[in-house]
Amino acid sequence: DDRAVPPPTRGPEARSRATGARTPETTPGASEDRSTMVAYTPEQVIANIKRGLRLREYRGLWDQVLAEATREVYAREGATYEDFAVFCDENRSAMMEFFNRVGFGFYNSDVVRESFGTTGVRVSLHPSLSDQFTFTELEMIRESGQLRWLMIR
């Protein structure tokens, strides 16, 4: 949902919206993401993931939002950032459906929020909704003082 994050009112991205031109800063999937995605709450993690998916800024998600523990699992399995980007691109619509639904249900019984371990937070759709979505659960952990994306199922 493009309304989740208001469009910029100044800078190269705003100029490109006005003119329809693309610059390296505004091209989806651009190799250099100039924004900083910081998150301290599950809502902020989800907003960052949605923005990265919507704009196809997978490098920013990999570098700033994805947990180090998840990048280590990728490395152990011989996978790389490119594999992550393919996963994001192939599952972009299904993940956005999940994140949009979670956003609408955060403060009612449609979304279950629970802690796990000493630093983890799990956000999942209520079981009555799970058969409607490809993804139903997001796990996040605290690393380096921030909340980061550990896994989506």
Side-chain angles (χ1 to χ4, degrees), residues 4-69:
V5 177
T9 56
R10 60 186 137 173
E13 189 171 342
R15 285 193 296 278
S16 71
R17 283 181 196 269
T19 64
R22 292 243 180 239
T23 66
E25 296 89 354
T26 62
T27 302
S31 62
E32 187 176 338
D33 178 18
R34 296 174 184 223
S35 63
T36 300
M37 294 185 265
V38 177
Y40 303 103
T41 67
E43 294 88 344
Q44 291 171 328
V45 172
I46 290 170
N48 286 338
I49 296 170
K50 285 175 63 174
R51 180 184 179 279
L53 291 172
R54 189 176 67 252
L55 299 175
R56 291 185 165 91
E57 292 178 351
Y58 305 137
R59 176 56 75 178
L61 290 175
W62 175 266
D63 291 340
Q64 299 178 43
V65 180
L66 199 64
E68 179 64 31

Side-chain angles (χ1 to χ4, degrees), residues 3-4 16 35 43 48-49 52 55 64 66 70 86 89 102 118 120 122 136 142 146 152:
R3 293 170 292 175
S16 71
S35 63
E43 294 88 344
N48 286 338
I49 296 170
L55 299 175
Q64 299 178 43
L66 199 64
T70 304
V86 168
D89 211 47
V102 166
T118 57
R122 182 178 299 115
T136 60
R142 289 220 179 272
Q146 292 185 46
I152 188 168

Side-chain angles (χ1 to χ4, degrees), residues 2 17 29 56 67 73 81 91 95 99 119-120 123 138 150:
D2 289 325
R17 283 181 196 269
R56 291 185 165 91
V73 169
Y81 157 74
N91 293 283
M95 285 194 287
F99 290 125
T119 63
V123 174
L138 174 70
L150 180 66

Side-chain angles (χ1 to χ4, degrees), residues 54-147:
R54 189 176 67 252
L55 299 175
R56 291 185 165 91
E57 292 178 351
Y58 305 137
R59 176 56 75 178
L61 290 175
W62 175 266
D63 291 340
Q64 299 178 43
V65 180
L66 199 64
E68 179 64 31
T70 304
R71 289 192 301 268
E72 289 172 3
V73 169
Y74 266 82
R76 272 196 313 269
E77 294 180 0
T80 64
Y81 157 74
E82 286 76 19
D83 298 301
F84 171 76
V86 168
F87 169 82
C88 287
D89 211 47
E90 289 177 352
N91 293 283
R92 185 173 171 259
S93 293
M95 285 194 287
M96 287 298 285
E97 288 173 4
F98 167 72
F99 290 125
N100 285 333
R101 186 63 184 94
V102 166
F104 292 128
F106 242 123
Y107 300 103
N108 63 38
S109 61
D110 291 347
V111 174
V112 178
R113 186 189 314 211
E114 58 189 342
S115 297
F116 67 92
T118 57
T119 63
V121 178
R122 182 178 299 115
V123 174
S124 57
L125 292 175
H126 187 275
S128 66
L129 297 171
S130 61
D131 63 342
Q132 300 172 38
F133 295 89
T134 303
F135 296 99
T136 60
E137 184 175 277
L138 174 70
E139 290 184 353
M140 299 158 276
I141 58 169
R142 289 220 179 272
E143 285 183 346
S144 305
Q146 292 185 46
L147 201 56

